[in-house]
Amino acid sequence: MVRRVGAAAVLLLAAILWPPRVGEPDRAEAVAIAVVRAIISGELAHASLNEGYFDTLQCLESGSCAPGPPHHGAFLARDFQERYFAPTSGQHGYRFEFHDGPKPVPQRDRRVSPSAMTSFAVVAIPLSPQLQHFQHAT
């Protein structure tokens, strides 16, 4: 009898701790929004220091793509792409895509990164059918 009660208590504890709790919001959408916001913030910070141009995620991670002597720190964490854009990064509930925009028209008085762009797009694609009913545009 004591063994059954002990086993039932362990199973009950496992049922309480591991599956998502009823009524608790799914954190995948919050993570996706945070990833998109981090990219936008990094791009805006980079653009404010680099003639108003955006750049690739590689450039934002390294912080050393902009020509000229003043190198600023990285605008994204060094492992950002690895965490959120690698083929195996689907554990966050979304697959992320970054799309480069058009290159700027070269001007003689401006020194810009060779990978600079005038716009960009970030897409968060839900991997779960339960998440696909939410569609947000930012």
Side-chain angles (χ1 to χ4, degrees):
M1 177 73 171
V2 173
R3 289 178 105 181
R4 282 188 192 172
V5 171
V10 169
L11 290 175
L12 180 61
L13 183 62
I16 291 171
L17 294 178
W18 280 299
R21 294 186 174 105
V22 175
E24 186 174 300
D26 185 5
R27 304 272 185 247
E29 185 177 355
V31 170
I33 292 169
V35 168
V36 172
R37 284 183 177 169
I39 293 169
I40 292 170
S41 295
E43 288 286 5
L44 290 174
H46 179 274
S48 72
L49 299 171
N50 294 288
E51 303 290 336
Y53 294 119
F54 306 112
D55 221 311
T56 63
L57 294 179
Q58 293 87 354
C59 182
L60 296 180
E61 283 183 344
S62 70
S64 62
C65 294
H71 289 289
H72 308 284
F75 297 96
L76 290 174
R78 296 218 183 268
D79 63 343
F80 190 84
Q81 285 187 92
E82 184 180 321
R83 280 192 289 169
Y84 299 107
F85 286 83
T88 59
S89 66
Q91 71 268 17
H92 301 290
Y94 284 79
R95 180 172 53 88
F96 298 95
E97 294 179 357
F98 183 87
H99 300 279
D100 298 349
K103 302 288 180 200
V105 176
Q107 295 181 353
R108 292 180 199 191
D109 61 335
R110 291 189 177 177
R111 295 177 45 127
V112 298
S113 163
S115 56
M117 60 188 86
T118 59
S119 63
F120 67 94
V122 181
V123 182
I125 303 163
L127 299 176
S128 167
Q130 289 84 14
L131 295 172
Q132 291 179 2
H133 68 279
F134 295 111
Q135 295 181 357
H136 300 282
T138 53

